[in-house]
Amino acid sequence: MKKRKASGLFRKYFLVTISIILASFVFLGGALLLFVSKLWMDEKTSLLEENTLSVAQNTAAVLGSDYLGESGRGSVIVICNTLHQISNAIDADVFITNTDGQVVYCKEILQSNMALYTGNCMVHNAYSVPADIMADTLKTTVSTTGTLGGALNDVHFVVSSPVVVNGKTVAVVFSTQDVIGGLTPYVAGILRVFSAATLFAFAMAFILVYLVSLRLTKPLREMSAAARQYATGDFSKRIPIRSGIHILGHDETDELITAFNSMAQALATLEMSRRSFVANVSHELKTPMTTIGGFIDGILDGTIEPEKETQYLKIVSDEVKRLARLVTGMLNMSKIEAGELELKPVKFDISEMIFRTLLSFEQIIDKKHIEIKGLDSFESNSIVADKDMINQVVYNLIDNAVKFTPEGGYIEVSSKADSEKVIVRIRNSGMGIPGDEIDKIFERFYKIDKSRSYDVKGAGMGLYIVKTIIELHGGNIVARSEPGQYTEFIFQLPLI
């Protein structure tokens, strides 16, 4: 099945290209035949005109001379001999008529003594040029194509020129040549030469097109096979970029291969992140649910003493809140990817929101002896935005700061505004983020190397959601870190 698909792509490309080349040869052959035929006809007409005019001038000179010989036989012999030589030389029939259109001189007269004496010819006696044609030919040289008013059986080139003696037209010279009989052998010869050259050229083109088509379609066939492999979940296949054959540099196929490989890499990364996400979410869901179930069962069956129930119920409450945050994060990410996250902007003080969020972490801050810096210089800054979404941004960033700040460390916050935007900074001391991971922390499902983290809880959705919410509001967020010293998140939001 795969082979048929691959060969079908090559076959279509090959057949289309060969068909175009074949059509080009046919068109070229037709144009060549038309051009050659026109050239041959023009040359024949020009040759007939030249010789017809020459015969007319010579005939006029003979008829106008005093040398007639015995009973005028001298002029007949001279004129007919000229007609015989010219006719044979140009492969035409040259004859002379009187002004009534009757043939009086032709090349056959020399072949019969009777015709020589009488001036009659068995071949041309039947010729009679119509008066309407004679009316034109008595005045000037005329070139045309036809049957000479029915005198000729087939279509001929016909050239006529008047014989003028002492200012008076006394006869007309006609030169005729068969069009079909002369053109057909000539065209047939040209066609044979062209056919031989075309056959050789087409054979070469066939081979070259086959090889080029095979090479050009190979990356497409490989991408098709790779795509089917990707559909099974295996993203390891990469398409190599051919090198060493591009005279003018890389082409669109190379760009497509590069984009395809980049897509494959992104899919592979996404698949790894997805699997990690599923594993993390499974763990995140299983752990609190096990804890909740264990403590509740302990309370119900009396394993946990009544005086300790409040302590364990508080743990259950924390785990339930943790599950709620996880589910909320998953729902928000689903809405973000579906484009269903709608903004509900209201005016509020973001500095007050930061302060209240810090208060919600008061117990853990006191427990870890974390110093909060920057509150003494806090400014009140009102913005118009979706309050719930921005609260989620602030909560996630402060939650991360509290989580990753070591005991005795510090968290520094600031909120400043200019005429267009508000700038919020949240910095915490601690191990920081490695330089090779700082640019990846906003990717969905991404988690910093567990071996370097204080806390590996979470599914890698928080910062991805934070960045998306900030960008939905027309702002931006960046992260800075000095490993072993601090981590800082800076985001900007428009005031309106």
Side-chain angles (χ1 to χ4, degrees):
M1 186 66 179
K2 293 181 180 179
K3 186 176 181 181
R4 283 200 299 271
K5 288 183 179 179
S7 62
L9 178 65
F10 161 74
R11 184 170 60 253
K12 290 178 183 178
Y13 192 94
F14 175 74
L15 289 179
V16 167
T17 307
I18 283 295
S19 299
I20 293 174
I21 293 176
L22 182 60
S24 300
F25 276 125
V26 171
F27 176 79
L28 179 62
L32 178 63
L33 290 180
L34 290 176
F35 176 77
V36 168
S37 299
K38 181 66 168 56
L39 180 63
W40 181 84
M41 294 172 70
D42 291 342
E43 289 180 350
K44 288 299 180 183
T45 302
S46 177
L47 183 62
L48 286 176
E49 289 177 353
E50 181 181 346
N51 285 276
T52 301
L53 184 60
S54 176
V55 170
Q57 292 173 350
N58 292 337
T59 301
V62 171
L63 294 179
S65 65
D66 295 331
Y67 173 69
L68 297 176
E70 184 180 352
S71 300
R73 290 176 60 198
S75 63
V76 174
I77 293 173
V78 172
I79 293 174
C80 291
N81 185 57
T82 301
L83 295 178
H84 180 75
Q85 293 178 353
I86 295 295
S87 296
N88 291 337
I90 64 175
D91 192 23
D93 184 15
V94 184
F95 56 88
I96 300 174
T97 68
N98 57 25
T99 56
D100 295 328
Q102 302 299 317
V103 178
V104 293
Y105 299 105
C106 66
K107 62 181 181 179
E108 280 79 10
I109 291 179
L110 291 177
Q111 300 175 4
S112 171
N113 289 329
M114 182 62 70
L116 184 60
Y117 279 98
T118 62
N120 294 325
C121 170
M122 294 297 294
V123 176
H124 294 89
N125 277 351
Y127 289 12
S128 179
V129 182
D132 58 335
I133 296 178
M134 291 301 299
D136 294 330
T137 59
L138 291 174
K139 300 175 183 178
T140 184
T141 299
V142 178
S143 298
T144 186
T145 302
T147 61
L148 203 59
L152 306 173
N153 294 328
D154 300 319
V155 178
H156 284 63
F157 294 116
V158 179
V159 178
S160 60
S161 183
V163 178
V164 181
V165 178
N166 297 325
K168 181 179 179 181
T169 300
V170 297
V172 178
V173 179
F174 284 91
S175 297
T176 65
Q177 188 174 47
D178 185 10
V179 175
I180 303 300
L183 180 61
T184 300
Y186 182 77
V187 171
I190 296 295
L191 189 59
R192 282 193 298 271
V193 174
F194 178 78
S195 298
T198 299
L199 183 61
F200 176 77
F202 188 77
M204 295 297 297
F206 186 92
I207 296 173
L208 291 176
V209 169
Y210 180 88
L211 296 176
V212 171
S213 299
L214 193 64
R215 178 164 187 85
L216 289 179
T217 57
K218 185 176 181 180
L220 300 180
R221 297 196 305 272
E222 291 179 343
M223 282 187 278
S224 178
R228 289 192 294 273
Q229 183 175 325
Y230 297 162
T232 65
D234 182 3
F235 299 97
S236 61
K237 178 69 173 177
R238 296 293 182 271
I239 311 301
I241 297 179
R242 305 300 185 269
S243 60
I245 65 166
H246 298 296
I247 298 177
L248 299 179
H250 293 289
D251 55 18
E252 288 79 1
T253 302
D254 295 329
E255 295 176 0
L256 177 60
I257 293 174
T258 301
F260 187 86
N261 289 336
S262 298
M263 179 198 70
Q265 183 61 43
L267 288 174
T269 302
L270 181 60
E271 179 64 14
M272 292 177 61
S273 299
R274 185 190 67 81
R275 293 177 181 177
S276 176
F277 168 73
V278 171
N280 291 335
V281 168
S282 299
H283 175 74
E284 291 292 318
L285 290 174
K286 182 179 179 180
T287 301
M289 289 176 67
T290 301
T291 303
I292 292 171
F295 288 158
I296 291 178
D297 289 341
I299 293 174
L300 292 176
D301 62 18
T303 303
I304 297 177
E305 299 175 358
E307 60 271 13
K308 294 184 178 180
E309 287 182 2
T310 303
Q311 175 185 348
Y312 288 105
L313 285 176
K314 184 178 183 302
I315 296 175
V316 169
S317 176
D318 292 339
E319 293 298 322
V320 170
K321 292 177 182 178
R322 177 180 168 190
L323 282 175
R325 290 196 299 271
L326 179 62
V327 172
T328 300
M330 294 173 63
L331 290 175
N332 286 339
M333 188 172 68
S334 177
K335 290 180 180 180
I336 289 171
E337 293 179 346
E340 298 175 354
L341 201 61
E342 298 181 358
L343 300 179
K344 298 177 181 179
V346 295
K347 188 174 182 179
F348 63 93
D349 190 335
I350 191 172
S351 299
E352 181 183 355
M353 176 181 288
I354 296 171
F355 181 76
R356 290 184 178 276
T357 303
L358 284 169
L359 287 179
S360 67
F361 288 90
E362 182 178 4
Q363 289 185 357
I364 190 172
I365 290 174
D366 291 341
K367 183 179 179 181
K368 296 177 70 174
H369 306 289
I370 297 174
E371 180 186 0
I372 305 300
K373 299 180 179 181
L375 294 180
D376 55 342
S377 60
F378 233 38
E379 299 176 1
S380 177
N381 295 309
S382 297
I383 63 171
V384 177
D386 189 305
K387 188 174 182 179
D388 292 337
M389 289 188 184
I390 300 303
N391 184 68
Q392 186 175 356
V393 169
V394 173
Y395 184 90
N396 282 343
L397 293 178
I398 292 179
D399 181 49
N400 283 341
V402 172
K403 184 187 302 181
F404 294 108
T405 300
E407 289 192 15
Y410 70 87
I411 296 175
E412 183 177 357
V413 295
S414 71
S415 172
K416 296 183 179 180
D418 55 23
S419 60
E420 298 179 353
K421 61 185 179 296
V422 62
I423 303 173
V424 176
R425 300 172 183 266
I426 300 176
R427 174 187 288 201
N428 68 278
S429 60
M431 290 185 63
I433 302 173
D436 57 344
E437 298 189 16
I438 191 72
D439 295 329
K440 302 176 183 178
I441 60 175
F442 292 108
E443 297 178 5
R444 58 180 178 175
F445 311 144
Y446 187 82
K447 295 181 67 177
I448 298 175
D449 187 356
K450 296 179 177 59
S451 63
R452 303 185 183 184
S453 293
Y454 289 110
D455 190 336
V456 296
K457 295 180 180 180
M461 296 183 298
L463 291 179
Y464 168 74
I465 294 175
V466 165
K467 183 175 186 292
T468 303
I469 291 175
I470 294 293
E471 291 179 347
L472 282 174
H473 284 81
N476 63 79
I477 183 170
V478 295
R480 298 173 182 173
S481 181
E482 186 68 33
Q485 296 187 29
Y486 70 88
T487 299
E488 182 179 42
F489 289 90
I490 305 171
F491 67 88
Q492 300 178 8
L493 290 171
L495 293 178
I496 297 178

